[in-house]
Amino acid sequence: MSWDTRVRKVKLREGVDLSNLFGPRDLHLRLIEDGLHVRVSARGDEVILEGHHDAVVRAEVLLCELAERTTGQRQIRPEDVTRALKAADSTQSDPSFSLDTAPIHTPKGSVVPKTPSQQRYLEAIRRHNLVIGIGPAGTGKTYLAMAMGLAALTGKEVRRIVLARPAVETGERLGFLPGDLFAKVHPYLRPLYDALYAMMDMERVNRLIERGDIEIAPLAFMRGRTLNDAFVILDEAQNATSEQMKMFLTRLGFQSKAVVTGDITQVDLPPNRPSGLIQISEILRHVEGIKFVYFQDDDVVRHRLVQDIIRAYNQHEDGMGKGAVSPSTDP
C-alpha cells in the first residue's frame, strides 16, 4: 500500500435500506468505484473504501448522503448516483452547487438540476423575466424550462404556457406535407409535446391545450400578439431569423416570463440568413433584466456517448477552423 492510499471502514447507521443504497447486484457501488476511482466492498452494514485519500473522503461523504436519502423511503436510482458523482466533482470547483437543491414539482414527479449550469439556469429563470440558455443538445435547456413553466401554471403564477418553435427543416427537404395546417406544422413541434408528456399525463396535457392553458405554435404565429400573464418558451431559437427573434422578444407582456433556448452550433438556416440567437448574444448582453446562461459539453445529461460525440464534433470543427464555441462562463 502506497503512502497516499487510505482504507476507510464506514458503518452505516440503523434504518438505512441497504438493498436500495447498494442497488441491484451492487450496481450503485460499482458506479461509485468507477466515478471516484476507489475500491468499494460491503459486508452487511459496513462499507470498506480503499483508494487515494481524497477520493476515499469524497466517496464516504457521497455514500453517507445517499444512505440518508434511503431512510426517507426514497428510491435511489442509478441516475441519482451518477448525479451525485457529478455533484461531488462540481463542488470541487463550484461550491455553490448543492445536491439538495429544491426540486421543481411536476404532476409526474420532481425535477432537479444535475449540474452547476443547470442550477444557475433555474435560478436565473426564478429571478429574471427573460433568460437565454445557449448550449449543446442534451443539456436540459428545454426540459428544465418546461418544468418551470408547468410549476408556474399549476401554482397559478401564470395563466398559460406558450411554447414556440421555428418551423425549419433540419438539413433535408421534406417536401409537401399533406393535411390541414395543424398536420403540416405538428412534426416541427413534436419535441415540445414529448417534453410535456414526460411531466404530465397525456390526457391532462390535451385538456389544457384544448382550454388554451397551454399553447404550442410555430414561431411565425406569434406576430401581432402581446403575451400577458404567460410563461413563454422559444425552443430551437438558433433557427429563428433576426426578424423573428426581434418579433418574439417584443411580444412579452405584463406578469410574463420568457425563456429562449438554442444551440448555436446547429443552425439550419440558409447561409444568407443570420441566426437571431447568435445576434442577441451580442445585442442584449448588457441589458438589465436579461440573463444569459451558457452550457458546456459537461452539462449533457443524456447517454454518456452523447457527451463524447459532441466533444468529438467540436474537436473536428475546431481543427477545420469552423467551430462555433459558446463562452465558458456567464457574462
Side-chain angles (χ1 to χ4, degrees):
M1 184 184 300
S2 64
W3 65 271
D4 60 349
T5 299
R6 179 181 181 184
V7 177
R8 170 72 173 166
K9 294 182 179 180
V10 180
K11 179 76 170 178
L12 299 172
R13 72 181 185 83
E14 188 176 350
V16 172
D17 184 344
L18 298 179
S19 62
N20 185 8
L21 176 62
F22 297 162
R25 298 183 181 179
D26 292 343
L27 172 61
H28 299 165
L29 299 185
R30 303 291 79 81
L31 289 172
I32 293 173
E33 280 188 330
D34 294 342
L36 296 178
H37 306 293
V38 295
R39 183 176 299 171
V40 184
S41 56
R43 297 174 184 173
D45 61 355
E46 185 177 77
V47 179
I48 300 173
L49 305 172
E50 181 178 352
H52 188 276
H53 178 274
D54 291 342
V56 167
V57 171
R58 290 167 64 193
E60 180 180 359
V61 171
L62 185 148
L63 191 67
C64 291
E65 187 168 352
L66 290 173
E68 187 65 29
R69 291 177 170 223
T70 70
T71 60
Q73 298 184 334
R74 173 177 170 179
Q75 187 64 33
I76 303 295
R77 300 168 298 177
E79 51 263 42
D80 294 322
V81 180
T82 302
R83 175 174 173 261
L85 286 165
K86 183 166 285 191
D89 267 344
S90 301
T91 51
Q92 302 301 307
S93 57
D94 190 347
S96 66
F97 181 56
S98 169
L99 189 63
D100 290 320
T101 299
I104 309 163
H105 298 292
T106 71
K108 279 193 175 180
S110 298
V111 176
V112 291
K114 298 181 179 180
T115 69
S117 294
Q118 288 191 351
Q119 181 173 288
R120 288 194 294 270
Y121 183 55
L122 292 180
E123 189 61 29
I125 295 173
R126 291 187 179 102
R127 292 174 176 267
H128 296 81
N129 290 328
L130 175 59
V131 174
I132 294 101
I134 298 175
T139 50
K141 303 182 300 296
T142 303
Y143 189 82
L144 291 173
M146 192 79 78
M148 291 289 284
L150 281 176
L153 180 65
T154 56
K156 301 188 184 305
E157 298 173 27
V158 297
R159 288 193 298 107
R160 57 179 169 159
I161 298 174
V162 179
L163 310 172
R165 218 172 192 248
V168 176
E169 297 168 347
T170 309
E172 56 184 315
R173 293 295 177 187
L174 302 180
F176 175 77
L177 292 173
D180 58 15
L181 184 60
F182 176 80
K184 295 177 190 295
V185 301
H186 183 74
Y188 297 104
L189 306 175
R190 184 70 209 189
L192 297 176
Y193 284 90
D194 291 342
L196 277 173
Y197 294 150
M199 300 178 201
M200 184 180 286
D201 291 334
M202 185 179 297
E203 290 183 4
R204 187 175 178 188
V205 170
N206 292 337
R207 283 199 308 271
L208 291 171
I209 291 174
E210 289 175 3
R211 286 184 355 210
D213 294 340
I214 297 178
E215 178 184 349
I216 304 178
L219 175 58
F221 288 15
M222 296 294 105
R223 186 174 296 280
R225 303 179 59 187
T226 300
L227 301 174
N228 292 317
D229 202 14
F231 194 106
V232 191
I233 301 173
L234 174 59
D235 188 37
E236 295 290 333
Q238 75 275 5
N239 289 328
T241 64
S242 302
E243 297 82 4
Q244 287 177 323
M245 182 62 73
K246 182 179 179 181
M247 177 271 292
F248 172 81
L249 294 176
T250 54
R251 299 307 94 199
L252 195 63
F254 295 106
Q255 283 79 52
S256 288
K257 190 180 291 284
V259 181
V260 176
T261 71
D263 178 359
I264 59 176
T265 69
Q266 296 194 47
V267 178
D268 299 309
L269 293 169
N272 62 335
R273 301 300 298 273
S275 166
L277 181 61
I278 294 176
Q279 282 193 337
I280 64 169
S281 63
E282 295 298 328
I283 295 173
L284 304 180
R285 179 180 295 271
H286 300 298
V287 175
E288 187 176 352
I290 299 176
K291 181 67 174 179
F292 286 82
V293 180
Y294 293 93
F295 295 84
Q296 304 298 321
D297 303 345
D298 290 342
D299 296 307
V300 172
V301 291
R302 291 180 183 168
H303 192 286
R304 178 190 57 80
L305 280 176
V306 175
Q307 195 173 91
D308 294 341
I309 289 168
I310 291 172
R311 286 174 176 162
Y313 266 97
N314 286 342
Q315 290 173 2
H316 173 73
E317 291 168 353
D318 287 346
M320 297 180 66
K322 296 180 181 179
V325 182
S326 56
S328 58
T329 58
D330 291 349

